[in-house]
Amino acid sequence: MNTLTLFAPAKINYLLDVIGKRPDGYHDLRMIMQRVNLCDEITLTVTNSTEINVSCNSKGVPDGPGNITWKAARAMLDITGSECGVNIEIKKNIPVAAGLGGGSSDAASVLMGMNELLQCRLTEKKLMEIGCKLGADVPFFIFKKTALAEGVGEKLTPLPNIPKCWILLVNPGVHVSTAWVYRSLQLTSRRELNKLPEFFGSIEDVVSILSNDLESVTISAFPIIADIKSRLMDLGAIGSMMSGSGPTVFGIFKSLDVAETACHEIINGTNWFVATVETL
Ligand code: ATP
C-alpha cells in the first residue's frame, strides 16, 4: 500500500476560557472541543523521490512549506529517517481561517496517515508530541474524542458523556486575524474559572457551558457575528456561540429539520458558508 485517503474533521469550541498569558507568549487556555462531520479529504501517496509536494483545491491555502501538512510530513520523514517522499493532495471542505481548526486537523491526518503508510508504529502519545510542535490544536485531532483541553491545548481529558447534537455552522467570510484577537484581549489577572458540570445528561447541559472569551473581541470588530447569533436563536437554535477566534458562529439544534430550515433561511440572499453538521 502506498496511498491512503483520510477524512480530517473540523472542530467547534463549546467553551474557550483564556486563563492568562504565559512567559513564552502563548496563552493558558481551558477549552471544551468537539469534532463535527465536516471534513477535508487528504490523500497521501508515498513516492521514491525525497520531495514533499502539496496540492490543494482552495486558492487561499499555501502549497509548499507554508502548508502545515508539509511541516507534518517533514517531521515524520525526519523522525523516522525514511528516505522516501510524499505527495499530499488536499480537498478543502472546511472554510480556511474560520475558527474551525481545518489546518490543524489536516496536519493531524498527515501524521496519522504517514505513521500507517510508512509503518512507523509511533504511539498516539508520540504523534501528539510531534503535533503539538506544529500547532496547539493538532493533538486534539489525534486524540479523536470530545475533550477538555488545557495548557495551550495539549493536555487532553476525554469527555465521553457529551450528548450528540445537530449544529449549524455559519461563516460570513470576514477575515479575522487570530493573532490580533489574542493581542486585543484585555487580561487583567489570572481569572477564576467557573466549575464545569460533572455529567452532561442533555443537550441543555451542553448549552449551559457555552462561553468564549474571544467572542467579544471579535464582535467589537465584526458586529455581524452578534447578528448571526441572534438570527440562529430566532430560527430555533437552543444555544449559539462563536468558534475559536471566529468568524464562524455555530447554533445548536435539537432536531435536524429545524436546523435544515434555518440553514436554508440563512443561505438565502447571502454568499456565506452555511452547513448543517452532526457532532462526532
Ligand atoms: P484555528 O481554529 O486552529 O485557529 P483556523 O480554522 O482559524 O484555525 P486554518 O483554516 O487552520 O485556521 O488556517 C489558518 C492559516 O493557516 C490560513 O491563513 C492558511 O493560509 C494557513 N494554512 C496552512 N496550511 C493550511 C491547511 N492545510 N489548511 C488551511 N489553512 C492552512
Side-chain angles (χ1 to χ4, degrees):
M1 178 178 70
N2 75 339
T3 186
L4 186 60
T5 297
L6 300 105
F7 291 89
K11 60 84 183 161
I12 54 172
N13 300 90
Y14 285 144
L15 177 84
L16 196 166
D17 291 327
V18 183
I19 300 171
K21 196 161 179 185
R22 300 153 45 116
D24 62 9
Y26 289 94
H27 287 84
D28 272 319
L29 306 171
R30 182 179 70 162
M31 300 184 284
I32 294 184
M33 300 175 75
Q34 170 69 58
R35 294 170 309 141
V36 296
N37 69 347
L38 168 70
C39 298
D40 288 344
E41 289 163 53
I42 312 282
T43 301
L44 301 174
T45 308
V46 173
T47 64
N48 291 328
S49 81
T50 52
E51 279 178 18
I52 301 168
N53 294 305
V54 180
S55 61
C56 181
N57 66 334
S58 170
K59 282 196 215 104
V61 176
D63 56 6
N67 196 295
I68 188 169
T69 61
W70 189 98
K71 297 187 177 88
R74 184 72 270 156
M76 285 303 279
L77 293 176
D78 289 348
I79 284 164
T80 58
S82 305
E83 287 182 355
C84 55
V86 63
N87 290 339
I88 304 169
E89 200 185 314
I90 307 173
K91 179 166 182 276
K92 280 289 321 166
N93 297 312
I94 306 172
V96 177
L100 296 173
S104 303
S105 187
D106 295 352
S109 288
V110 169
L111 295 178
M112 293 184 288
M114 286 185 67
N115 195 35
E116 205 172 317
L117 277 177
L118 303 175
Q119 298 180 347
C120 312
R121 296 176 202 280
L122 299 182
T123 60
E124 186 182 279
K125 186 164 173 272
K126 181 69 188 168
L127 290 176
M128 284 162 67
E129 267 170 42
I130 302 168
C132 193
K133 295 190 185 119
L134 301 170
D137 287 346
V138 179
F140 164 73
F141 290 106
I142 296 169
F143 196 58
K144 292 200 209 146
K145 296 175 200 80
T146 304
L148 172 68
E150 295 168 288
V152 293
E154 84 292 6
K155 289 182 200 142
L156 296 163
T157 311
L159 295 174
N161 56 27
I162 292 215
K164 290 207 162 221
C165 41
W166 296 104
I167 304 284
L168 185 56
L169 301 173
V170 183
N171 180 344
V174 293
H175 175 73
V176 178
S177 152
T178 302
W180 173 83
V181 173
Y182 275 99
R183 267 201 315 275
S184 309
L185 186 69
Q186 301 289 335
L187 285 171
T188 40
S189 55
R190 286 181 84 82
R191 52 172 289 200
E192 284 297 308
L193 296 176
N194 295 335
K195 205 170 172 318
L196 295 175
E198 307 239 312
F199 187 77
F200 293 85
S202 66
I203 297 182
E204 282 76 6
D205 291 339
V206 177
V207 170
S208 75
I209 58 153
L210 291 183
S211 155
N212 182 343
D213 284 347
L214 305 178
E215 192 185 67
S216 58
V217 178
T218 309
I219 286 180
S220 69
F222 301 102
I224 187 72
I225 288 167
D227 298 344
I228 296 170
K229 284 185 69 179
S230 355
R231 188 86 204 284
L232 283 165
M233 297 306 285
D234 290 345
L235 290 168
I238 60 165
S240 176
M241 182 65 46
M242 184 183 83
S243 184
S245 53
T248 304
V249 179
F250 64 88
I252 299 184
F253 289 80
K254 282 182 114 168
S255 104
L256 174 60
D257 275 1
V258 181
E260 285 193 328
T261 308
C263 182
H264 290 124
E265 287 285 328
I266 295 178
I267 282 176
N268 251 333
T270 70
N271 57 358
W272 297 349
F273 172 89
V274 190
T276 309
V277 297
E278 197 179 357
T279 54
L280 289 174

